[in-house]
Amino acid sequence: MSMKRIRWSRWFLVAVLAFVLLALTAFGAFQIYLLRSMAPLSGVQQLQGLYSGVEIKRDVSDVTHIHASNPLDAWRAIGFVHAQERGWQLAFNRQVMHGELSEWLGPTTLETDKLMRTLGIMKAAQAQFEKLPANTQKALEAYAEGVRAGYASEQWRAPEFVIMGIHPTKSMKSWTAIDSVGWALMMALDLGGNWGNEFARLMVAQTLSTEDLWKLLPPYPGESRATKVDIAALYQSLGVYAKPGSPQANALASQKMLASTTLDIGVLEGKGSNNWVLPGSNTKSGLPLLANDPHLGLSAPAVWYFAGLHSPPGQLPDGKPHGALNVVGATLPGLPFVVLGRTQMAAWGFTNTGPDVQDLYLEALEGPNNYRTPNGQQAFETRDEVIKVKGQGDVTLKVRSTRHGPVISDVQPAYAQFLNMDKYAIALRWSALDIDNQTIVAGMEANFASSVADLRQAFSKNHSPMQSIVMADTAGNVLFKAAGKVPVRSAAHDLQGMVPAPGWLSQYDWQSWIPYDQTPEVSQADIEKRGWHATANQKILPPGYAPFLTHDWTGPERFDRIAQLLSAGTKLDASQMKTIQADVHSLAADRLLPYLQTLTSTHPKGPDALAQLKLFKGDMSRDSSGALIYAVWIDEVTRAILIPKLGETRFKALFGKRAFRPGVEGVLATQDKSWCGEAGCQVLMNKALDSALDKIVAMQGDKVSEWNWGRAHPALSAHKPFGNVKSLAAFFDVTGPSGGDAFTVNVGQYWTNSTTVPFATRHAASMRAVYDLANLEESGFIYQTGQSGHPFSPRYRDMRDEWGQVKYRPLTMTTSGPTQLLKLIP
């Protein structure tokens, strides 16, 4: 071997060794970073402001239990824990509600910031905070102190802060008590009402007759049309719609609208939940059972953080005595209280009632600065909002408001495309923004409840969003109550909140509020008579109920299925509650089974696919190929029916988070050629099957025997914002197995307007809980990610598989057995 080759070999060996050493050093540094960046679960840390020491124990279920000598210290400590465990989640949510996302993410989020500033979320939060009782203010201030202290520890090294170059204690505004009020308002916005449906009806009334509008968006089953007004004729007579522009201008406006990040705000479809309560007369134990699974958008980390708050009886800051604080369940990072859960003697569960608490108003313009009112012209209220935008100069937004509320047509591209902006603006009246909103007080008081009567009293303070609440206690009491503020509309309000109303006519103004004692309620006696009470966002009004709540109820399929399963005729136990929460039988699919049996196909995979459809009985199980074929087929049917009637732009703007299933089923039931085309609905359905099979082959290959719903329908818990970054999503998103569809008890709503994962579950059971009032220590819970918000923690996604399999972890008040202990000292 030559000396030259020997020298080259030595240099090569040195280079390899150097590379290995460098890699090992980098790996070691990364491991050190990981260890230092995760919140400590044990040891001792200082928390200024504490009256005395606090113990934080994590039990075998990884539920965080906070033991303090007084409630203020408990609320201060949960703030500390939220900041350490969910620091990025808190920080990101703060930017959203303040309308400051663009300061971090640049112009892509400017539209969202403009809408938040226009709504005035933080302006309303400030006003509402000032009206809160002193004890609630002190609770939120203590929580904020804890959050700030948590950020001051190790949390700044969490990956998102490192990637974004943000230091929470140096380059980020501090969390305040008002931010907690703001976050409660953001939850109300997520669950708040129907303004998106109002605008959707206005949008389609430009191209559809009123008769066809009602076919597209029919009334709730068994109800008549909400209004007799010819909506299309009304808007044409008022000159509401924008005049047609050039083809180029129209194409550009359509592109901007479809790229809008706020297009689906104000759409309630898919944001539902299930809950039910059984009296002791219908249970094996002789005491009540209560189950709850709220359906929210899936995210990583999850929206919930499970914790227990414990302190002995004493006095609140104003001297008012309080009982023991012993509560465990789901907290929302951003708030110091358990939102859903149980105390030692009572339990409760929510579903969204979905009343109409949002009305859009057409404001007729009178020159550039005024609008028409019942009493003549009035000037817009205006204010300037300055939005910092990463990578470019500040943007100044002029926000206009009317006597009804903020003018949202100024900041939503869809409104600019369809509305005649020379004649009209659209303002939003939304109850949650009112100064008397004290929803946070309800949450605080519920945490001290020891009976159903205590819970009913606490929830009398609930304002927004209205919730359908089932309650039970260890004495055997059960109750259902819809709690929240709903406006009373005038008898002359002939539009019934279905569409934007003329803002210059006083007949469309809100008159007052439905009193708490008059909101829907089901007594112990009536629940005993039936054997159970359940809600699933369906119409909850008893026969003869006079006050108007809404016409935009969610369809009854989930409720009807729960009713079937609860009415089996035998006394039930907790394990059967869990079986019901796992149910994936779709009553909506049942209604379409007869059409599936009539299909023919010219597709090469047609014979095998039709054989699978013969076996499909409406169960949306993960391993079912029939469920996959059915789901893609009905999506193709929907597109084939609606696109020719609505046009491509309107369809894309409205479809996805809306399924239009009642309208499509109505067309198929009547075989309506005006929607299906002259060839008829059968031909359309057959062609839709062939199109569906093309899509499935592209998704899952050509072996029909290997097709299954689960592969197309994973539960996707997306991280904000890194779920949108392809190179990072794999580390930050959490995906797992999922069955069901939008109509099953174990819900799995998907958005088929997605270009990447059209059938992935986006809205599902954000958590599941079952409470056995015979022994509350036998209660169970689960949700879809994990307690930690750190993507490299083993606790970030450790509940995923249990959630997918509908298994449960114990939800106990005690922390016996091996636990981790973190002590906080003053």
Side-chain angles (χ1 to χ4, degrees):
M1 182 181 293
S2 67
M3 291 298 296
K4 185 176 181 181
R5 175 169 291 187
I6 292 173
R7 285 196 298 270
W8 183 89
S9 299
R10 287 176 177 171
W11 279 112
F12 177 76
L13 182 60
V14 169
V16 169
L17 290 173
F19 176 79
V20 170
L21 183 61
L22 183 63
L24 289 172
T25 302
F27 180 75
F30 181 67
Q31 292 296 311
I32 293 171
Y33 156 73
L34 288 182
L35 289 173
R36 297 185 66 185
S37 66
M38 293 182 195
L41 306 183
S42 59
V44 179
Q45 291 210 11
Q46 189 173 37
L47 176 55
Q48 289 187 353
L50 289 177
Y51 289 94
S52 59
V54 172
E55 290 190 344
I56 300 175
K57 299 179 180 179
R58 287 167 172 86
D59 65 19
V60 293
S61 297
D62 201 23
V63 175
T64 301
H65 290 266
I66 294 172
H67 296 267
S69 63
N70 61 80
L72 280 180
D73 278 356
W75 297 325
R76 190 174 282 109
I78 190 63
F80 181 86
V81 168
H82 281 168
Q84 286 206 317
E85 293 260 58
R86 300 291 187 85
W88 174 257
Q89 184 180 32
L90 275 172
F92 187 86
N93 291 343
R94 186 204 168 280
Q95 296 299 110
V96 172
M97 62 188 173
H98 278 263
E100 295 177 355
L101 272 179
S102 301
E103 189 173 343
W104 289 0
L105 301 178
T108 57
T109 55
L110 184 56
E111 184 185 321
T112 300
D113 285 346
K114 287 181 177 180
L115 180 60
M116 293 302 107
R117 299 290 186 97
T118 298
L119 291 175
I121 295 294
M122 297 313 300
K123 181 171 174 282
Q126 174 73 55
Q128 291 172 10
F129 176 80
E130 292 171 1
K131 293 293 183 180
L132 291 176
N135 288 329
T136 309
Q137 291 181 344
K138 292 292 186 183
L140 300 184
E141 287 167 352
Y143 176 80
E145 290 170 8
V147 170
R148 293 193 292 269
Y151 277 134
S153 59
E154 301 297 304
Q155 182 60 38
W156 68 271
R157 295 190 179 94
E160 295 93 338
F161 291 117
V162 174
I163 293 170
M164 297 295 295
I166 297 166
H167 193 303
T169 59
K170 295 179 180 178
S171 56
M172 190 178 84
K173 298 182 181 75
S174 296
W175 185 275
T176 70
I178 295 165
D179 290 329
S180 290
V181 182
W183 192 240
L185 283 175
M186 291 300 294
M187 292 304 297
L189 177 63
D190 190 45
L191 300 171
N194 75 334
W195 109 55
N197 283 349
E198 288 191 32
F199 187 75
R201 293 185 181 102
L202 180 144
M203 189 190 301
V204 299
Q206 184 180 16
T207 190
L208 296 183
S209 67
T210 299
E211 186 66 26
D212 277 347
L213 172 61
W214 283 111
K215 289 181 180 179
L216 176 68
L217 296 165
Y220 189 82
E223 286 195 353
S224 57
R225 295 178 181 178
T227 176
K228 296 179 180 179
V229 174
D230 186 337
I231 296 168
L234 170 68
Y235 288 148
Q236 292 295 341
S237 68
L238 292 174
V240 165
Y241 297 109
K243 297 176 182 178
S246 67
Q248 295 83 357
N250 289 341
L252 185 62
S254 295
Q255 183 180 7
K256 183 178 180 181
M257 179 186 70
L258 296 177
S260 169
T261 57
T262 62
L263 187 60
D264 292 319
I265 292 180
V267 178
L268 204 53
E269 189 166 326
K271 298 172 183 176
S273 305
N274 305 316
N275 68 12
W276 59 86
V277 65
L278 276 64
S281 58
N282 196 26
T283 69
K284 293 178 181 178
S285 71
L287 284 170
L289 291 165
L290 190 148
N292 189 202
D293 55 296
H295 307 158
L296 298 171
L298 300 182
S299 63
V303 66
W304 304 111
Y305 183 87
F306 268 70
L309 303 175
H310 312 278
S311 71
Q315 289 187 335
L316 293 171
D318 67 352
K320 180 181 177 181
H322 66 80
L325 177 65
N326 275 306
V327 61
V328 63
T331 70
L332 282 171
L335 294 169
F337 314 121
V338 170
V339 177
L340 293 167
R342 70 173 184 90
T343 63
Q344 285 186 316
M345 300 176 69
W348 69 95
F350 291 171
T351 66
N352 200 42
T353 311
D356 187 351
V357 295
Q358 295 174 340
D359 274 355
L360 296 181
Y361 288 91
L362 289 165
E363 307 288 16
L365 303 181
E366 300 284 355
N369 302 314
N370 296 340
Y371 66 99
R372 193 183 312 160
T373 78
N375 301 313
Q377 294 186 25
Q378 186 169 322
F380 287 100
E381 293 181 18
T382 62
R383 69 178 190 276
D384 287 339
E385 295 277 353
V386 178
I387 304 172
K388 294 185 179 299
V389 184
K390 185 178 181 179
Q392 66 178 57
D394 295 351
V395 171
T396 300
L397 172 70
K398 183 174 288 296
V399 175
R400 298 190 294 174
S401 297
T402 72
R403 66 193 188 94
H404 295 116
V407 175
I408 60 174
S409 55
D410 288 346
V411 291
Q412 290 197 275
Y415 292 60
Q417 178 165 358
F418 291 100
L419 186 68
N420 184 343
M421 304 285 275
D422 293 329
K423 292 183 67 174
Y424 296 103
I426 290 183
L428 171 68
R429 175 76 172 98
W430 177 28
S431 62
L433 296 177
D434 287 8
I435 198 169
D436 66 338
N437 185 346
Q438 296 204 345
T439 296
I440 287 180
V441 180
M444 177 179 171
E445 293 186 0
N447 282 201
F448 290 96
S450 59
S451 67
V452 162
D454 290 346
L455 288 171
R456 187 188 185 280
Q457 175 60 32
F459 291 127
S460 68
K461 311 289 199 316
N462 191 69
H463 188 294
S464 302
M466 186 181 222
Q467 296 293 286
S468 295
I469 309 172
V470 291
M471 313 170 216
D473 64 31
T474 54
N477 299 302
V478 292
L479 185 73
F480 164 76
K481 182 66 178 175
K485 285 291 190 74
V486 181
V488 174
R489 293 169 173 83
S490 164
H493 194 317
D494 53 1
L495 294 174
Q496 286 287 290
M498 298 297 287
V499 292
W504 58 93
L505 299 177
S506 60
Q507 72 192 68
Y508 299 116
D509 291 344
W510 295 356
Q511 307 297 306
S512 59
W513 304 97
I514 300 174
Y516 183 63
D517 285 341
Q518 294 179 24
T519 61
E521 183 168 341
V522 181
S523 68
Q524 172 103 19
D526 286 337
I527 295 175
E528 294 274 3
K529 184 177 179 180
R530 191 178 199 178
W532 53 270
H533 187 81
T535 74
N537 317 109
Q538 84 287 0
K539 181 182 176 182
I540 61 167
L541 307 183
Y545 185 79
F548 169 74
L549 260 64
T550 186
H551 290 290
D552 284 329
W553 303 103
T554 296
E557 292 84 4
R558 282 185 287 110
F559 170 79
D560 289 345
R561 180 60 176 165
I562 293 168
Q564 287 179 358
L565 298 170
L566 290 176
S567 302
T570 59
K571 293 189 176 184
L572 303 171
D573 60 20
S575 66
Q576 290 163 297
M577 303 299 96
K578 296 172 183 178
T579 299
I580 294 172
Q581 288 186 333
D583 188 78
V584 291
H585 186 79
S586 175
L587 296 185
D590 279 356
R591 292 196 297 267
L592 294 175
L593 290 179
Y595 301 111
L596 294 177
Q597 306 312 317
T598 69
L599 297 176
T600 60
S601 174
T602 60
H603 196 280
K605 299 301 171 185
D608 290 341
L610 290 170
Q612 292 297 320
L613 288 177
K614 294 287 185 186
L615 299 173
F616 177 62
K617 303 301 180 186
D619 291 327
M620 302 300 294
S621 53
R622 298 200 302 261
D623 59 355
S624 171
S625 58
L628 173 63
I629 299 166
Y630 153 75
V632 183
W633 168 77
I634 190 58
D635 180 64
E636 290 297 303
V637 168
T638 302
R639 294 170 185 273
I641 289 175
L642 298 189
I643 290 175
K645 292 288 272 190
L646 296 178
E648 191 81 27
T649 297
R650 280 184 183 81
F651 176 79
K652 287 182 176 179
L654 297 172
F655 188 60
K657 290 189 177 179
R658 294 181 185 86
F660 294 106
R661 184 64 65 83
V664 169
E665 287 188 29
V667 169
L668 296 181
T670 58
Q671 295 290 291
D672 192 335
K673 287 187 176 182
S674 70
W675 288 79
C676 288
E678 282 304 312
C681 293
Q682 187 63 54
V683 170
L684 180 146
M685 290 190 294
N686 292 339
K687 289 182 177 179
L689 177 60
D690 289 345
S691 298
L693 296 179
D694 282 338
K695 285 191 172 181
I696 298 172
V697 169
M699 285 192 293
Q700 299 199 0
D702 60 3
K703 291 185 178 180
V704 177
S705 61
E706 296 180 2
W707 292 355
N708 71 75
W709 179 226
R711 256 195 300 156
H713 188 60
L716 174 58
S717 298
H719 182 274
K720 298 176 182 179
F722 296 149
N724 295 318
V725 182
K726 191 173 182 179
S727 60
L728 296 176
F731 299 100
F732 289 88
D733 287 353
V734 177
T735 59
S738 173
D741 67 6
F743 306 96
T744 55
V745 178
N746 188 2
V747 77
Q749 192 205 29
Y750 47 88
W751 305 339
T752 57
N753 59 345
S754 168
T755 57
T756 53
V757 280
F759 295 97
T761 294
R762 306 291 191 139
H763 279 80
S766 60
M767 70 92 165
R768 301 186 187 98
V770 173
Y771 307 97
D772 187 343
L773 277 296
N775 182 0
L776 279 170
E777 290 296 279
E778 295 294 323
S779 300
F781 83 100
I782 201 68
Y783 62 92
Q784 87 285 359
T785 59
Q787 290 279 78
S788 176
H790 194 303
F792 298 109
S793 167
R795 301 166 53 248
Y796 183 71
R797 62 190 85 220
D798 63 322
M799 296 188 200
R800 175 192 61 190
D801 294 340
E802 293 166 281
W803 178 87
Q805 297 162 14
V806 197
K807 294 182 178 180
Y808 296 76
R809 293 184 177 185
L811 185 61
T812 65
M813 202 68 78
T814 61
T815 51
S816 59
T819 59
Q820 292 171 302
L821 174 61
L822 176 67
K823 292 185 177 182
L824 300 181
I825 59 175

